[in-house]
Amino acid sequence: MKTYFSLLLNNFLSKKLLLILLLIGSFSYSQDVALQNYFSPNSGCGLTNIENVTVLVVNTTSTFIPGNSINMNYSINGGSPVNQLLASNLSGSASWFFTFSVKANLALCGTYQLKVWTTFPSDPNHLNDTLSWTVQNDCPIVPGTVNSDVTVCQGANAGTLSLVGWSNGTITQWESSTNGGSTWSPIANTTLSNSYTNITQNTQYRVIIDGGLCVDDTATYATVSVQPPPITGTIAGSDSLCENVASGVLTLSGNNAAVLNWEYSTDNGFTWNNIANTTTTNNYTSLTQTTIYRAHINGGVCVNQYSDTAKIYVDPFYPQVALLGDDSLCITAANGAITSSGPHGTILDWEFSNDGGATWNSLSYTAGGYNYVSLTQTTYYRMLTEGGKCPDGISDTAIIFVQPVPIAPTIGPPNQVCASSVTGNINVTGGTTPIADWEASTDNGVTWTSVGSNANPYSYAGQTVTTTYRVKMDGVHCPDYYSNTVKITLDSPPTMGTLNQSASVCQYTMNPLNLTGTIADSLYWQYSLDNGVTWTSIPNTDTIAWTTLPITSNISYQVVGVNGVCPPLASNTILLTMLPAPTVNAGNDTSIYLGDTAHLVGVGGTAGIWMPGSTLSDSTISNPSAFPTTSTYYAYFVIGSNSCIGSDTVLVTVLPPKDFIIRNVVTMNQDNFNDNWFISGIDYYPFTKVEVFNLYGKQVYKNDDYKNDWAGTVNGKNLPNGTYYYIVRKGGTDELYKGTLTLLGNE
């Protein structure tokens, strides 16, 4: 019975079910005190520290319960319990609204878990002794203020407003109003701050706060006031003047805000300089360079602005321009540029003279510098400039002297010598200017080094590498120039390196030889059959790697290198000592008819193998049986006691079959002999038809174009051993053969 009630209490906690259980329990227990319901405290706004805790206590039985025998208890959030006796008597089925004398302290905002329970020694049913419930205390909202009013510039602003002084409740949204608070628009923001960007009209912002069980409230709004940007106005008075008489007045009009100061720039507005002037007019005096002016306007809360600009263009008074570019040049490269050395006005033209300045000709050219190209005679140049408000100017004169091309010399002769003896002379012939220097190159003319000599002839001696020479001529006004080149070629004796070491090799083998560390123009290999007494050169062997012919005797090898005019030099000598190959005999050539077997016999060596082995009974024995279908060369390879290999071959010629012969035995044991039913000569009679029957006359095999490929099977399984009957019709003829066929090996 208790188990049943426990399950009901664990699954249903409604008050109505609890009452039903109490009523049922009255029939089961002698004395049963139950807590039927609670009445206070309940969730609300602004609960205090003196809240009553009131519950309904019920005597669920008909037995009288005396006062001060029921102990009442309550706790808050699992804290220390409050205990109090129920002083009143409870008659059978009576109930009592019990209020604890110790009040509950629920003054702090938040959630509380209350638990009330009874303790009655005679109460055997504790399932209805406890009540638990949750109480929510929401404190009244302190709405706070949106901080704070601000004035910003129209369309170019950004900022953040914050809610301050707020407590309790939950922020549900921000709101904004652009009509003085008549209507408000929601802003999906539940944080303590709200950002605005580029607003164009006065806007109020406030925060809506949800009070929960308390009354909702709204924070005091803040106003973002918008100020339009200032009107900057325009400046009149731009002018073009001459240096030292550049004075005048500029006037600002159309502005609606105060002038903070004026500014001027002499680098076309890249940098500006302050003028302490707050009026709408600005006087300038004795300007020496073009100057731009502007007024700086107070923007209030907006960014300070600038008016448009006024430009006073000043033409400087220039002294005579000095030209840069006087030169003496070679006629083959009479190209260059003439530039001015100081300031000047706009270029009107360039002029040239070929008669020392007696007469001048226009170039119709107005660029800042004149580039001349391919002059053939000495030429004078000058530049004409505009003064603007000042007089026009004529520059000084630039003179370009042009020299004819000098004649190049010839040097020689070249030479080729061995590095052990280097000496000789190189002579210079021709040339119309002095020798400036001799130069030498050891990298075939990629780089050159001065030898510090202007002698003719030049004597060379003691060089250790091939060297190329040339003579450098002083070009005077033309560029320095060079003679032809001559090469003194130094041939060093070849470096022969090392030929791989001597070895013992098997007879008839071909052995690779390698020469390492060699430096030579060309190589050739030599061999000797008399231990180096005489040598024979091997043609077409200019390589560091060479493979010998099959070895048939002891043989020595060396490599000879040649470098230019230096004498040949031989490498070290190696000896290849021949190990004799074992004697081997594969037997005499033989012939068989197609389908027959030849018996091979190999002799020699300590072990041998036949190849190819696919048509042999066993390629690893010395006397296998061969059953080729075409003429075949068989090679017998043997190894001797010195690990050398010898070989011999035998030819088995396969002749066409003498007759159409039907074999009468099939041994189905996979030993490569008679494993299939074989008919000699069938290859010469295509479309030969065969039939095979058992002793009972049942056909077990049939083929209209037999290929010697039946192995005595039916459906992949071997037929039983025994005698069978066949009928064979030779292809292309009317000949018919009948006989018996014995199947063996299925055991």
Side-chain angles (χ1 to χ4, degrees):
M1 193 69 174
K2 288 184 179 180
T3 300
Y4 173 74
F5 289 148
S6 298
L7 291 172
L8 286 176
L9 285 173
N10 287 334
N11 290 277
F12 305 96
L13 298 177
S14 70
K15 297 174 184 177
K16 185 179 292 185
L17 286 175
L18 182 59
L19 180 59
I20 294 171
L21 291 174
L22 290 171
L23 292 174
I24 296 173
S26 65
F27 296 100
S28 306
Y29 304 101
S30 59
Q31 287 182 317
D32 183 19
V33 176
L35 295 180
Q36 192 176 78
N37 203 351
Y38 69 88
F39 293 91
S40 65
N42 292 300
S43 297
C45 177
L47 300 181
T48 68
N49 61 351
I50 52 171
E51 297 293 331
N52 287 331
V53 179
T54 302
V55 296
L56 179 63
V57 183
V58 177
N59 181 358
T60 64
T61 64
S62 58
T63 306
F64 173 80
I65 301 176
N68 295 320
S69 61
I70 300 173
N71 188 26
M72 303 297 293
N73 311 273
Y74 83 86
S75 66
I76 301 174
N77 292 335
S80 301
V82 175
N83 309 112
Q84 183 178 336
L85 292 173
L86 194 156
S88 301
N89 298 325
L90 287 180
S91 58
S93 301
S95 61
W96 185 264
F97 288 95
F98 178 80
T99 300
F100 287 89
S101 59
V102 177
K103 308 300 184 181
N105 183 1
L106 306 180
L108 295 178
C109 301
T111 301
Y112 297 88
Q113 296 294 327
L114 272 79
K115 177 181 178 182
V116 180
W117 69 94
T118 64
T119 305
F120 179 47
S122 300
D123 188 350
N125 178 23
H126 299 295
L127 297 177
N128 53 12
D129 291 351
T130 302
L131 289 176
S132 296
W133 71 98
T134 300
V135 176
Q136 176 69 33
N137 180 22
D138 289 337
C139 294
I141 295 172
V142 178
T145 302
V146 177
N147 191 18
S148 60
D149 293 345
V150 67
T151 301
V152 298
C153 186
Q154 183 179 32
N157 53 74
T160 301
L161 302 174
S162 300
L163 177 62
V164 297
W166 162 72
S167 62
N168 304 328
T170 303
I171 296 174
T172 59
Q173 66 184 28
W174 285 66
E175 293 182 337
S176 65
S177 174
T178 57
N179 56 13
S182 297
T183 58
W184 293 86
S185 301
I187 300 173
N189 181 7
T190 60
T191 68
L192 289 172
S193 61
N194 185 70
S195 298
Y196 60 86
T197 304
N198 296 334
I199 62 174
T200 59
Q201 55 185 320
N202 295 343
T203 306
Q204 295 171 320
Y205 292 90
R206 69 182 186 183
V207 181
I208 306 302
I209 302 172
D210 182 359
L213 298 172
C214 297
V215 178
D216 296 346
D217 208 341
T218 304
T220 304
Y221 65 80
T223 301
V224 180
S225 301
V226 178
Q227 172 197 307
I231 298 173
T232 59
T234 57
I235 299 175
S238 296
D239 206 351
S240 296
L241 303 171
C242 191
E243 186 180 0
N244 296 326
V245 293
S247 301
V249 179
L250 301 174
T251 302
L252 174 68
S253 63
N255 58 301
N256 68 349
V259 176
L260 294 172
N261 59 278
W262 286 71
E263 295 180 353
Y264 74 93
S265 173
T266 57
D267 56 8
N268 202 31
F270 185 73
T271 59
W272 293 88
N273 305 283
N274 183 61
I275 302 173
N277 178 10
T278 61
T279 70
T280 57
T281 60
N282 185 67
N283 298 323
Y284 59 89
T285 303
S286 300
L287 299 183
T288 59
Q289 56 185 317
T290 298
T291 306
I292 302 174
Y293 292 91
R294 68 184 182 184
H296 195 192
I297 308 301
N298 189 346
V301 296
C302 293
V303 177
N304 296 336
Q305 302 290 324
Y306 290 96
S307 68
D308 65 350
T309 59
K311 187 173 187 178
I312 309 302
Y313 181 81
V314 178
D315 284 334
F317 181 79
Y318 298 113
Q320 184 183 33
V321 176
L323 296 182
L324 302 176
D326 287 353
D327 209 348
S328 297
L329 302 173
C330 182
I331 193 171
T332 59
N335 309 313
I338 302 172
T339 59
S340 60
S341 62
H344 55 77
T346 302
I347 298 172
L348 298 173
D349 197 5
W350 284 78
E351 294 179 335
F352 74 96
S353 173
N354 291 326
D355 55 10
T359 58
W360 292 90
N361 304 286
S362 173
L363 290 168
S364 299
Y365 188 76
T366 59
Y370 180 71
N371 297 323
Y372 54 88
V373 179
S374 302
L375 297 184
T376 59
Q377 58 184 314
T378 298
T379 306
Y380 290 14
Y381 292 95
R382 71 183 183 183
M383 182 176 69
L384 306 181
T385 58
E386 180 185 7
K389 299 296 181 177
C390 301
D392 293 343
I394 300 176
S395 71
D396 66 356
T397 301
I399 301 174
I400 310 301
F401 175 78
V402 178
Q403 173 193 318
V405 177
I407 299 173
T410 302
I411 64 172
N415 200 3
Q416 184 173 5
V417 295
C418 195
S420 59
S421 177
V422 180
T423 184
N425 293 319
I426 305 175
N427 297 294
V428 180
T429 58
T432 57
T433 58
I435 296 175
D437 195 7
W438 284 83
E439 293 182 352
S441 173
T442 58
D443 55 12
N444 203 29
V446 176
T447 59
W448 292 90
T449 303
S450 169
V451 300
S453 173
N454 58 1
N456 183 20
Y458 173 71
S459 298
Y460 60 87
Q463 285 84 348
T464 59
V465 294
T466 294
T467 305
T468 303
Y469 291 94
R470 68 183 182 183
V471 67
K472 179 180 180 182
M473 306 298 290
D474 185 351
V476 189
H477 298 304
C478 288
D480 292 345
Y481 58 103
Y482 292 92
S483 67
N484 61 304
T485 62
V486 295
K487 181 181 290 187
I488 308 303
T489 304
L490 272 67
D491 295 329
S492 299
T495 301
M496 291 312 299
T498 303
L499 187 61
N500 54 314
Q501 63 187 7
S502 300
S504 296
V505 296
C506 289
Q507 186 178 9
Y508 306 124
T509 60
M510 301 171 66
N511 291 270
L513 301 179
N514 289 280
L515 183 66
T516 59
T518 296
I519 302 174
D521 289 343
S522 63
L523 302 171
Y524 58 90
W525 291 69
Q526 294 183 324
Y527 70 90
S528 173
L529 299 177
D530 54 11
N531 201 27
V533 175
T534 59
W535 291 92
T536 301
S537 297
I538 305 172
N540 303 317
T541 54
D542 189 3
T543 177
I544 61 172
W546 183 74
T547 301
T548 70
L549 297 175
I551 300 300
T552 58
S553 65
N554 294 345
I555 186 168
S556 300
Y557 285 96
Q558 68 178 15
V559 185
V560 178
V562 178
N563 258 12
V565 298
C566 292
L569 185 65
S571 71
N572 61 301
T573 300
I574 65 166
L575 173 63
L576 299 183
T577 302
M578 186 197 75
L579 300 176
T583 301
V584 58
N585 188 346
N588 297 324
D589 295 343
T590 187
S591 298
I592 62 171
Y593 289 102
L594 181 65
D596 289 340
T597 299
H599 297 285
L600 306 182
V601 177
V603 178
T606 59
I609 186 170
W610 289 88
M611 295 182 68
S614 58
T615 56
L616 297 176
S617 60
D618 187 346
S619 63
T620 62
I621 63 177
S622 62
N623 54 344
S625 296
F627 40 91
T629 58
T630 61
S631 296
T632 303
Y633 277 99
Y634 291 95
Y636 186 49
F637 295 90
V638 299
I639 186 169
S641 59
N642 58 3
S643 298
C644 290
I645 295 174
S647 65
D648 190 23
T649 59
V650 62
L651 172 63
V652 178
T653 302
V654 178
L655 303 175
K658 292 182 293 185
D659 292 308
F660 188 81
I661 301 174
I662 301 173
R663 308 290 179 176
N664 59 4
V665 175
V666 176
T667 58
M668 302 175 290
N669 57 5
Q670 303 301 316
D671 62 353
N672 293 325
F673 292 100
N674 297 321
D675 287 338
N676 292 347
W677 183 29
F678 193 83
I679 302 176
S680 298
I682 197 170
D683 293 340
Y684 298 95
Y685 302 98
F687 299 105
T688 294
K689 298 180 181 180
V690 299
E691 293 180 273
V692 181
F693 303 88
N694 62 17
L695 293 175
Y696 304 102
K698 181 180 179 181
Q699 187 184 75
V700 296
Y701 180 71
K702 179 183 180 181
N703 194 317
D704 292 338
D705 186 12
Y706 186 58
K707 300 295 184 182
N708 286 339
D709 53 359
W710 186 57
T713 60
V714 173
N715 297 326
K717 296 182 179 180
N718 290 344
L719 288 169
N721 293 346
T723 300
Y724 294 80
Y725 299 96
Y726 65 79
I727 299 175
V728 176
R729 184 179 299 277
K730 185 189 295 185
T733 71
D734 293 331
E735 297 180 32
L736 188 67
Y737 299 84
K738 296 182 180 180
T740 60
L741 175 65
T742 302
L743 299 184
L744 301 174
N746 186 18
E747 299 174 353

